[in-house]
Amino acid sequence: MHKRRTTFAKRITRVAQAVETRGVRATYGLNDRLLANRAARRSFAHARPTLDELQQRIVDELRVEGYCVVSYPELVGEERWAALAADADRFVAETEAGLAREAAGQDAGLRRSTKDYLVRRNAWGVTLPADDPWLQAALDPRVLDIANTYLGMWAKVEYVDLWHTPPSDATERKSSQRWHRDFNDRLLLKAFVYLNDVDEDSGPFEYVPRSFPGSELGDLWPWWPGYDGYPPDEEFEARMKDVTVKTFTGTRGTLILCNTSGFHRGGYATGKPRTLATWTYSSPAALKALSERNYAVAGEASSLPEPARFAIS
């Protein structure tokens, strides 16, 4: 009787999961086509930004390869970069001091989450002032115009944070150190700015070009809204034998823009630390865009351009 009940319970669970999956897909499709994204597409069409040569090249490369790498100071200017770099240095100093206290058995108050191998400045549930330098970096028209053009609509800024990954002697990758797709939007543009020099020992970001939905390798363990995006490691590695994988080593100030609904991984630091700033642009229909943004905004934002106000609304 116990075996029959267990089998029945498993069957019920599978049916419930299938129903939930269909519901998620239907809800996402409805929001993408008719509800949440419709107004965002209309707003973009009525106020389409004019991109310069560098911005247009970035968009073109994103559309073909799913990623683009540029010098962040070149894109946004040396003055903005200098201010951000100084703030990044403060974060690194505070984090390394906290790690030293932690190693001594003291309470360091470091922010971590499910990715316990890295330290975050914000993690989740933080309130950022409207003039927070990294929130302002995400809203900078030089970058936001690229994101809006790539998505074809006014985007939401879903996530803003700084990450510090100290080197580890772990022998196995875990969580986002493994190959995966992000599940919450079909076009999901992430920015990563290296805040130190990153080499093979620092856990560089890696990406499979043209693996985003609708591209050449998009049907490889294909994306769908809510997809648990971790394919079996051995099967994936076997499939990648004839595929070029991009490894993003780079100097401080390297900016990687990437559609992370394509396969990617990073943060497996074995010999040196990796520090980066990251933020995410998604559509209003994204599964987490409205419910699990990692920050709230305090202060007056009325002086921001309309696309920026929309991005944090």
Short mmCIF file of all heavy atoms in Angstrom, two decimals, residues 74-110:
data_model
loop_
_atom_site.label_atom_id
_atom_site.label_comp_id
_atom_site.label_asym_id
_atom_site.label_seq_id
_atom_site.Cartn_x
_atom_site.Cartn_y
_atom_site.Cartn_z
N GLU A 74 35.79 53.69 -22.37
CA GLU A 74 35.59 54.24 -23.72
C GLU A 74 34.11 54.52 -23.98
O GLU A 74 33.76 55.51 -24.62
CB GLU A 74 36.12 53.26 -24.77
CG GLU A 74 35.94 53.76 -26.20
CD GLU A 74 36.37 52.74 -27.24
OE1 GLU A 74 36.90 51.67 -26.86
OE2 GLU A 74 36.18 53.01 -28.45
N LEU A 75 33.24 53.65 -23.47
CA LEU A 75 31.81 53.81 -23.72
C LEU A 75 31.20 54.95 -22.93
O LEU A 75 30.41 55.74 -23.47
CB LEU A 75 31.08 52.50 -23.40
CG LEU A 75 29.57 52.50 -23.60
CD1 LEU A 75 29.20 52.75 -25.06
CD2 LEU A 75 28.96 51.18 -23.12
N VAL A 76 31.56 55.07 -21.64
CA VAL A 76 30.87 56.04 -20.78
C VAL A 76 31.71 57.25 -20.43
O VAL A 76 31.20 58.21 -19.86
CB VAL A 76 30.39 55.36 -19.47
CG1 VAL A 76 29.46 54.21 -19.79
CG2 VAL A 76 31.56 54.90 -18.61
N GLY A 77 33.01 57.20 -20.74
CA GLY A 77 33.88 58.34 -20.45
C GLY A 77 34.76 58.09 -19.23
O GLY A 77 34.37 57.41 -18.27
N GLU A 78 35.94 58.66 -19.25
CA GLU A 78 36.92 58.45 -18.19
C GLU A 78 36.48 59.02 -16.85
O GLU A 78 36.78 58.47 -15.79
CB GLU A 78 38.26 59.06 -18.61
CG GLU A 78 38.96 58.34 -19.76
CD GLU A 78 39.49 56.97 -19.37
OE1 GLU A 78 39.55 56.68 -18.14
OE2 GLU A 78 39.86 56.20 -20.28
N GLU A 79 35.75 60.14 -16.88
CA GLU A 79 35.35 60.77 -15.62
C GLU A 79 34.38 59.88 -14.85
O GLU A 79 34.54 59.67 -13.64
CB GLU A 79 34.71 62.14 -15.90
CG GLU A 79 34.35 62.90 -14.64
CD GLU A 79 33.81 64.29 -14.93
OE1 GLU A 79 33.85 64.71 -16.09
OE2 GLU A 79 33.35 64.94 -13.97
N ARG A 80 33.36 59.36 -15.53
CA ARG A 80 32.41 58.46 -14.86
C ARG A 80 33.13 57.21 -14.38
O ARG A 80 32.91 56.75 -13.26
CB ARG A 80 31.25 58.09 -15.78
CG ARG A 80 30.31 57.03 -15.16
CD ARG A 80 29.12 56.74 -16.04
NE ARG A 80 28.12 57.79 -15.94
CZ ARG A 80 27.20 57.85 -14.98
NH1 ARG A 80 27.17 56.93 -14.03
NH2 ARG A 80 26.32 58.81 -14.96
N TRP A 81 34.01 56.66 -15.22
CA TRP A 81 34.71 55.44 -14.85
C TRP A 81 35.60 55.67 -13.62
O TRP A 81 35.66 54.82 -12.72
CB TRP A 81 35.55 54.94 -16.01
CG TRP A 81 36.57 53.91 -15.62
CD1 TRP A 81 37.93 54.00 -15.76
CD2 TRP A 81 36.33 52.62 -15.01
NE1 TRP A 81 38.55 52.86 -15.29
CE2 TRP A 81 37.58 52.01 -14.82
CE3 TRP A 81 35.18 51.95 -14.61
CZ2 TRP A 81 37.71 50.74 -14.25
CZ3 TRP A 81 35.31 50.69 -14.03
CH2 TRP A 81 36.56 50.10 -13.86
N ALA A 82 36.25 56.81 -13.53
CA ALA A 82 37.13 57.09 -12.39
C ALA A 82 36.34 57.09 -11.08
O ALA A 82 36.80 56.55 -10.06
CB ALA A 82 37.84 58.43 -12.59
N ALA A 83 35.16 57.70 -11.10
CA ALA A 83 34.33 57.73 -9.89
C ALA A 83 33.87 56.32 -9.50
O ALA A 83 33.89 55.95 -8.32
CB ALA A 83 33.14 58.66 -10.10
N LEU A 84 33.47 55.53 -10.48
CA LEU A 84 33.02 54.17 -10.21
C LEU A 84 34.17 53.29 -9.73
O LEU A 84 34.01 52.47 -8.82
CB LEU A 84 32.38 53.57 -11.46
CG LEU A 84 31.04 54.19 -11.88
CD1 LEU A 84 30.64 53.70 -13.27
CD2 LEU A 84 29.95 53.86 -10.86
N ALA A 85 35.34 53.46 -10.35
CA ALA A 85 36.50 52.66 -9.95
C ALA A 85 36.89 52.94 -8.51
O ALA A 85 37.26 52.03 -7.75
CB ALA A 85 37.66 52.93 -10.89
N ALA A 86 36.80 54.21 -8.09
CA ALA A 86 37.12 54.56 -6.71
C ALA A 86 36.13 53.91 -5.75
O ALA A 86 36.51 53.40 -4.68
CB ALA A 86 37.11 56.07 -6.54
N ASP A 87 34.86 53.89 -6.11
CA ASP A 87 33.85 53.23 -5.27
C ASP A 87 34.10 51.73 -5.23
O ASP A 87 33.95 51.09 -4.18
CB ASP A 87 32.46 53.52 -5.81
CG ASP A 87 31.37 52.94 -4.92
OD1 ASP A 87 31.13 53.51 -3.85
OD2 ASP A 87 30.78 51.90 -5.30
N ALA A 88 34.50 51.14 -6.36
CA ALA A 88 34.81 49.71 -6.40
C ALA A 88 35.97 49.38 -5.48
O ALA A 88 35.97 48.36 -4.79
CB ALA A 88 35.13 49.29 -7.84
N ASP A 89 36.98 50.25 -5.45
CA ASP A 89 38.13 50.02 -4.58
C ASP A 89 37.70 50.01 -3.11
O ASP A 89 38.22 49.21 -2.30
CB ASP A 89 39.19 51.09 -4.81
CG ASP A 89 39.88 50.94 -6.16
OD1 ASP A 89 39.80 49.85 -6.76
OD2 ASP A 89 40.50 51.93 -6.63
N ARG A 90 36.77 50.86 -2.74
CA ARG A 90 36.26 50.87 -1.36
C ARG A 90 35.55 49.55 -1.05
O ARG A 90 35.72 48.98 0.04
CB ARG A 90 35.32 52.06 -1.15
CG ARG A 90 36.04 53.40 -1.07
CD ARG A 90 35.11 54.51 -0.62
NE ARG A 90 34.12 54.84 -1.64
CZ ARG A 90 34.32 55.74 -2.61
NH1 ARG A 90 35.49 56.39 -2.68
NH2 ARG A 90 33.38 56.01 -3.49
N PHE A 91 34.76 49.07 -2.00
CA PHE A 91 34.06 47.79 -1.81
C PHE A 91 35.05 46.65 -1.61
O PHE A 91 34.88 45.81 -0.73
CB PHE A 91 33.16 47.52 -3.02
CG PHE A 91 32.62 46.12 -3.07
CD1 PHE A 91 31.70 45.66 -2.14
CD2 PHE A 91 33.04 45.24 -4.07
CE1 PHE A 91 31.21 44.35 -2.20
CE2 PHE A 91 32.55 43.95 -4.15
CZ PHE A 91 31.63 43.50 -3.20
N VAL A 92 36.09 46.62 -2.43
CA VAL A 92 37.08 45.55 -2.32
C VAL A 92 37.79 45.62 -0.97
O VAL A 92 37.97 44.58 -0.30
CB VAL A 92 38.10 45.63 -3.48
CG1 VAL A 92 39.26 44.66 -3.24
CG2 VAL A 92 37.42 45.32 -4.81
N ALA A 93 38.19 46.81 -0.55
CA ALA A 93 38.89 46.96 0.73
C ALA A 93 38.00 46.51 1.89
O ALA A 93 38.45 45.79 2.79
CB ALA A 93 39.33 48.41 0.91
N GLU A 94 36.74 46.93 1.88
CA GLU A 94 35.81 46.53 2.94
C GLU A 94 35.57 45.02 2.93
O GLU A 94 35.51 44.39 3.99
CB GLU A 94 34.48 47.28 2.77
CG GLU A 94 34.58 48.78 3.01
CD GLU A 94 33.35 49.52 2.50
OE1 GLU A 94 32.43 48.84 1.97
OE2 GLU A 94 33.31 50.76 2.63
N THR A 95 35.46 44.45 1.74
CA THR A 95 35.20 43.02 1.63
C THR A 95 36.39 42.20 2.09
O THR A 95 36.24 41.21 2.83
CB THR A 95 34.83 42.65 0.18
OG1 THR A 95 33.68 43.39 -0.22
CG2 THR A 95 34.55 41.16 0.05
N GLU A 96 37.58 42.58 1.67
CA GLU A 96 38.77 41.83 2.08
C GLU A 96 38.99 41.92 3.59
O GLU A 96 39.41 40.95 4.22
CB GLU A 96 39.98 42.33 1.31
CG GLU A 96 39.94 41.93 -0.17
CD GLU A 96 41.16 42.38 -0.93
OE1 GLU A 96 41.88 43.28 -0.44
OE2 GLU A 96 41.40 41.84 -2.04
N ALA A 97 38.68 43.08 4.17
CA ALA A 97 38.78 43.21 5.62
C ALA A 97 37.75 42.30 6.30
O ALA A 97 38.05 41.65 7.32
CB ALA A 97 38.56 44.67 6.04
N GLY A 98 36.55 42.22 5.73
CA GLY A 98 35.53 41.34 6.27
C GLY A 98 35.91 39.87 6.15
O GLY A 98 35.67 39.08 7.07
N LEU A 99 36.51 39.50 5.03
CA LEU A 99 36.96 38.12 4.85
C LEU A 99 38.04 37.76 5.86
O LEU A 99 38.09 36.63 6.36
CB LEU A 99 37.46 37.91 3.42
CG LEU A 99 36.39 37.91 2.33
CD1 LEU A 99 37.04 37.97 0.94
CD2 LEU A 99 35.49 36.67 2.44
N ALA A 100 38.91 38.71 6.17
CA ALA A 100 39.95 38.47 7.17
C ALA A 100 39.33 38.25 8.54
O ALA A 100 39.76 37.36 9.30
CB ALA A 100 40.94 39.64 7.20
N ARG A 101 38.32 39.06 8.89
CA ARG A 101 37.64 38.87 10.18
C ARG A 101 36.93 37.52 10.21
O ARG A 101 36.94 36.82 11.22
CB ARG A 101 36.64 40.00 10.42
CG ARG A 101 37.27 41.37 10.68
CD ARG A 101 36.27 42.35 11.25
NE ARG A 101 35.14 42.56 10.37
CZ ARG A 101 35.10 43.46 9.39
NH1 ARG A 101 36.18 44.23 9.15
NH2 ARG A 101 34.02 43.61 8.64
N GLU A 102 36.32 37.17 9.09
CA GLU A 102 35.61 35.90 9.00
C GLU A 102 36.58 34.73 9.19
O GLU A 102 36.27 33.76 9.88
CB GLU A 102 34.91 35.82 7.63
CG GLU A 102 33.88 34.72 7.51
CD GLU A 102 33.13 34.82 6.19
OE1 GLU A 102 33.72 34.49 5.14
OE2 GLU A 102 31.95 35.23 6.21
N ALA A 103 37.76 34.81 8.55
CA ALA A 103 38.76 33.75 8.68
C ALA A 103 39.25 33.63 10.13
O ALA A 103 39.68 32.55 10.55
CB ALA A 103 39.94 34.04 7.75
N ALA A 104 39.18 34.72 10.88
CA ALA A 104 39.60 34.70 12.29
C ALA A 104 38.47 34.27 13.21
O ALA A 104 38.61 34.33 14.44
CB ALA A 104 40.12 36.09 12.69
N GLY A 105 37.34 33.87 12.61
CA GLY A 105 36.21 33.40 13.41
C GLY A 105 35.32 34.48 13.95
O GLY A 105 34.50 34.25 14.84
N GLN A 106 35.45 35.71 13.41
CA GLN A 106 34.64 36.83 13.88
C GLN A 106 33.45 37.04 12.94
O GLN A 106 33.46 36.61 11.78
CB GLN A 106 35.50 38.10 13.92
CG GLN A 106 36.71 38.00 14.81
CD GLN A 106 37.61 39.21 14.68
OE1 GLN A 106 37.20 40.26 14.19
NE2 GLN A 106 38.85 39.07 15.13
N ASP A 107 32.43 37.70 13.46
CA ASP A 107 31.27 38.03 12.65
C ASP A 107 31.62 39.20 11.74
O ASP A 107 31.87 40.31 12.20
CB ASP A 107 30.08 38.39 13.55
CG ASP A 107 28.82 38.70 12.73
OD1 ASP A 107 28.82 38.44 11.52
OD2 ASP A 107 27.85 39.21 13.33
N ALA A 108 31.65 38.94 10.40
CA ALA A 108 32.08 39.97 9.45
C ALA A 108 30.90 40.70 8.82
O ALA A 108 31.09 41.76 8.21
CB ALA A 108 32.95 39.34 8.37
N GLY A 109 29.70 40.15 8.92
CA GLY A 109 28.53 40.80 8.34
C GLY A 109 28.55 40.87 6.83
O GLY A 109 27.95 41.76 6.23
N LEU A 110 29.24 39.93 6.17
CA LEU A 110 29.33 39.93 4.71
C LEU A 110 28.01 39.45 4.11
O LEU A 110 27.36 38.55 4.64
CB LEU A 110 30.47 39.03 4.25
CG LEU A 110 31.88 39.44 4.71
CD1 LEU A 110 32.91 38.40 4.28
CD2 LEU A 110 32.25 40.81 4.15
#
